[in-house]
Amino acid sequence: MAHMREILVFCVAYSWCVSDVWSSVPFDNFPQCYTGGISYDSRPNEVGDVASLNCESRGGDPAPTLVWKRGNVSIDTLYTDDRKTLKTTIFFSIEMRPEDNGAVFVCKETHPDIPQPRSCQIDPIRVVFPPVVTVEPQSTTVDIGESPSFTCTAYGNPSVWTGTHQWYFNDNTDVPNNERYTVVETPNGELLLTIAEIVQEDYDVEITCRAKNGKGITSTQVLIHPVTTPPPYVPTTMNYNGTNTNSTVSDTASTARQNFTLIVEMFIILLILPF
């Protein structure tokens, strides 16, 4: 009896117990977030680096619910729950991409005995990467005489160098035709290319949009396809037995010539033979 009293005193003092007696409410100082493989010092994270994000809670019966989120989007995670130590953990791994630069991941904890959700988060991730160059549309079919337009955006970390975000035409920044090719930079930094009244020679021009920063150069090509004309339609006529009369006319004429030759040969033989 005295031994049981000691266990109860221990549980009250520390709000939890590793025996069969425990608190129903998760501990106040949780959840706690921690990471592995993410650099927060002078060495930046590179695209392709792998990192793990962990979220841990202690206490609670039933176990608390933990969810990792990026913005409003929940993330699929691995889950562990140890009822002896009342430790609940969720974790996941990421392979860093350009869009992870500046990302904030938040872990939220909910439990029936907690009035409001509790959370922890990791500091924004810094990822360096060469420029990401996007062209819209990147591939299109244009008929002669039409006037297509294309937009090019570029961003990177570090920032794209001034003057390196440009359209290229056969590896040259000079437009092929000053009257029909126009390039305009929009207020939001997009490069707008318009080609007025496409001619046949425009299909042979290699058009790319490029940008450069301290991590490299990125080039994205525009593909302009001509409108292909289908082959002319040749009507065919089917005869009564289902064959193509266009292909049987010549066969019929050839057969008639052969029959005529045979008749002439037989007539000559009849004239020569004595009666």
Side-chain angles (χ1 to χ4, degrees):
M1 188 70 178
H3 180 67
M4 180 61 69
R5 188 181 299 110
E6 291 177 359
I7 292 177
L8 292 175
V9 171
F10 178 82
C11 292
V12 171
Y14 292 94
S15 301
W16 68 291
C17 183
V18 295
S19 69
D20 292 337
V21 182
W22 55 65
S23 169
S24 64
V25 181
F27 295 174
D28 290 338
N29 295 331
F30 290 87
Q32 294 180 359
C33 297
Y34 54 96
T35 65
I38 297 179
S39 174
Y40 288 103
D41 54 22
S42 58
R43 184 192 72 81
N45 302 286
E46 302 275 351
V47 171
D49 288 351
V50 177
S52 62
L53 288 80
N54 301 269
C55 179
E56 178 184 313
S57 180
R58 294 291 184 95
D61 181 27
T65 299
L66 300 176
V67 178
W68 271 114
K69 286 192 173 185
R70 175 176 177 161
N72 294 323
V73 180
S74 299
I75 300 172
D76 292 334
T77 58
L78 298 176
Y79 170 87
T80 63
D81 178 40
D82 188 341
R83 288 291 82 195
K84 290 184 177 181
T85 61
L86 303 180
K87 178 181 177 180
T88 305
T89 305
I90 61 171
F91 58 94
F92 69 100
S93 298
I94 60 171
E95 182 175 330
M96 296 190 194
R97 304 165 297 172
E99 50 266 37
D100 292 323
N101 183 52
V104 176
F105 295 89
V106 178
C107 177
K108 291 188 176 182
E109 176 188 45
T110 57
H111 189 272
D113 295 326
I114 300 177
Q116 297 294 330
R118 301 189 299 209
S119 64
C120 62
Q121 70 179 53
I122 65 168
D123 293 333
I125 303 174
R126 180 182 174 230
V127 184
V128 294
F129 53 93
V132 176
V133 178
T134 304
V135 173
E136 292 291 343
Q138 186 174 351
S139 178
T140 184
T141 299
V142 181
D143 201 357
I144 289 179
E146 294 181 336
S147 301
S149 294
F150 306 90
T151 59
C152 177
T153 59
Y155 68 94
N157 188 28
S159 299
V160 173
W161 291 349
T162 303
T164 66
H165 181 203
Q166 292 180 302
W167 285 104
Y168 282 76
F169 310 91
N170 293 331
D171 289 327
N172 197 315
T173 56
D174 295 333
V175 296
N177 187 300
N178 289 320
E179 295 181 356
R180 295 190 302 104
Y181 283 68
T182 58
V183 176
V184 177
E185 183 174 359
T186 65
N188 60 358
E190 292 181 341
L191 294 183
L192 175 63
L193 167 65
T194 301
I195 307 175
E197 299 179 355
I198 283 276
V199 297
Q200 185 64 43
E201 291 76 12
D202 296 325
Y203 298 122
D204 299 325
V205 179
E206 183 181 283
I207 303 175
T208 57
C209 187
R210 303 179 190 177
K212 181 178 181 180
N213 68 0
K215 295 299 296 180
I217 302 175
T218 304
S219 177
T220 301
Q221 184 176 0
V222 172
L223 299 177
I224 303 177
H225 307 284
V227 176
T228 56
T229 304
Y233 173 70
V234 179
T236 58
T237 303
M238 305 302 293
N239 62 15
Y240 69 93
N241 61 1
T243 58
N244 189 336
T245 58
N246 288 350
S247 61
T248 59
V249 169
S250 59
D251 296 339
T252 303
S254 176
T255 302
R257 286 193 298 271
Q258 293 175 0
N259 292 337
F260 177 76
T261 302
L262 180 61
I263 293 172
V264 171
E265 291 176 349
M266 293 180 63
F267 180 74
I268 294 174
I269 293 172
L270 291 174
L271 291 176
I272 295 175
L273 289 176
F275 291 95

